Amino acid sequence: MRIPIARTVAELRAAVAAWRQNGLKVAVVPTMGALHEGHLSLVRAALEKVDRVIVTLFVNPKQFNSAADLAAYPRTEHEDAAKLAPLGAHILYVPDAADMYPEGFATTVSVNGVTEGLCGAYRPGHFDGVATVVAKLFLQTGADVAFFGEKDFQQLHVVRRLARDLDIPIEIVACPTVREEDGLAMSSRNARLSPSQRQAAPKLAAILFEAAARIAGGASVDATLDEARSAIAAAGYVRIEYLELRAEEDLAPMHMFDRPGRLLVAAWLGDTRLIDNVAMPARQGAITRAAA
Ligand code: PAF
């Protein structure tokens, strides 16, 4: 069993037009390939919700901060296609960089507000690159629904904002982060970790969950996060870019746990940058305590 591959917008649009003629509902799962269980969970969720699922595979040069990072990014189209076929995804769209950004390409989609701070502060231009390619993928596929992982939580906000602001008629569905058995959030970057780094890596998630539990139990946000930063450093992470509590709804910074929040972290283990986050739904007790 093989998954059909479309390499041009024309091929993709012809397939979508045929589905549309039959009144079928279409979803898109945008990826940069190197598919892992996290991506596959998005595809499964899409297959449950709609009739036809497009998976896109494009290592988007505009969202990388360094040429070395772009060059090092795994390219595994053959393996990716083999993982998708048994799930029943309908088309793998693999555009060429020269087709996505032909000579003279001059448009950037830039989302303000939700891109401030967090990854936006450390990866200049990254979210412009993401927003630009995601807007193109939405318009090229014409999908009714798009699926994104919560692991890239700031990206999820960027994508929701751009779809709303540009009146792109697409529903954005967020799916929970998929974790390894030891708690490490799945990421294409995990493959870069040495065996000893791989052993240390899950401590990040453990510390994050522990801090979230303490804050939900009424501990001070700032003091708990200070302690968590020390614990992350002690676990072997060489640099913590951020560890912050932000509002679930609009990513506004929170110093009191008085509404639903997300605890978000980015830290480096050797040369590998890992991110993770945990949801902190408001609990009556916590709200009362913060307000008292
Ligand atoms: O999350 C990703 O893999 C990428 O940022 C995305 C959404 C596919 C855009 O290139």
Side-chain angles (χ1 to χ4, degrees):
M1 200 194 330
R2 283 186 173 204
I3 180 167
I5 296 182
R7 296 197 186 272
T8 64
V9 194
E11 281 166 35
L12 176 71
R13 287 206 167 125
V16 174
W19 296 339
R20 291 279 181 222
Q21 274 200 333
N22 292 316
L24 300 177
K25 202 167 168 184
V26 180
V28 61
V29 180
T31 84
M32 296 205 301
L35 302 183
H36 51 65
E37 198 46 46
H39 299 109
L40 302 185
S41 75
L42 301 178
V43 176
R44 285 192 200 100
L47 284 162
E48 268 179 30
K49 192 172 161 89
V50 302
D51 308 300
R52 293 291 179 269
V53 174
I54 304 165
V55 179
T56 73
L57 191 179
F58 180 60
V59 182
N60 175 30
K62 287 196 185 292
Q63 71 186 75
F64 283 81
N65 298 99
S66 87
D69 199 22
L70 173 62
Y73 204 83
R75 285 160 174 86
T76 54
E77 180 186 319
H78 192 72
E79 290 87 333
D80 292 340
K83 286 178 189 164
L84 291 169
L87 296 188
H90 298 89
I91 280 198
L92 179 59
Y93 174 48
V94 192
D96 203 79
D99 283 341
M100 285 297 260
Y101 303 121
E103 185 90 11
F105 186 89
T107 300
T108 299
V109 179
S110 194
V111 177
N112 297 321
V114 291
T115 52
E116 276 163 28
L118 304 174
C119 293
Y122 291 91
R123 304 190 66 188
H126 168 70
F127 285 122
D128 282 1
V130 169
T132 303
V133 82
V134 168
K136 282 180 69 89
L137 292 170
F138 285 178
L139 296 169
Q140 291 177 341
T141 59
D144 304 293
V145 197
F147 287 74
F148 290 87
E150 286 188 349
K151 178 167 158 283
D152 295 291
F153 196 69
Q154 194 174 16
Q155 168 173 284
L156 181 62
H157 273 270
V158 170
V159 165
R160 283 196 180 126
R161 191 72 254 169
L162 86 86
R164 237 181 276 153
D165 289 355
L166 299 180
D167 303 310
I168 302 178
I170 192 163
E171 180 192 349
I172 310 296
V173 175
C175 295
T177 301
V178 178
R179 298 180 180 279
E180 303 286 356
E181 268 187 15
D182 58 14
L184 178 65
M186 288 203 186
S187 163
S188 311
R189 290 171 192 264
N190 294 350
R192 297 190 198 169
L193 300 171
S194 70
S196 64
Q197 288 171 339
R198 176 62 191 81
Q199 253 197 327
K203 291 184 185 144
L204 186 66
I207 295 163
L208 199 61
F209 276 90
E210 163 78 23
R214 288 181 51 199
I215 292 169
S220 141
V221 172
D222 291 341
T224 305
L225 296 188
D226 275 345
E227 283 166 30
R229 279 184 202 101
S230 306
I232 293 167
Y237 281 80
V238 287
R239 188 151 61 92
I240 301 165
E241 286 186 353
Y242 59 79
L243 171 65
E244 285 186 46
L245 181 61
R246 296 283 188 115
E248 176 84 11
E249 195 180 325
D250 59 4
L251 286 186
M254 284 168 66
H255 295 280
M256 282 211 302
F257 180 45
D258 53 2
R259 57 198 189 280
R262 277 270 160 176
L263 198 50
L264 304 112
V265 68
W268 289 77
L269 199 49
D271 295 334
T272 307
R273 180 180 185 272
L274 297 178
I275 61 171
D276 202 348
N277 68 79
V278 52
M280 297 191 56
R283 297 207 190 102
Q284 199 52 47
I287 292 171
T288 311
R289 260 192 298 276

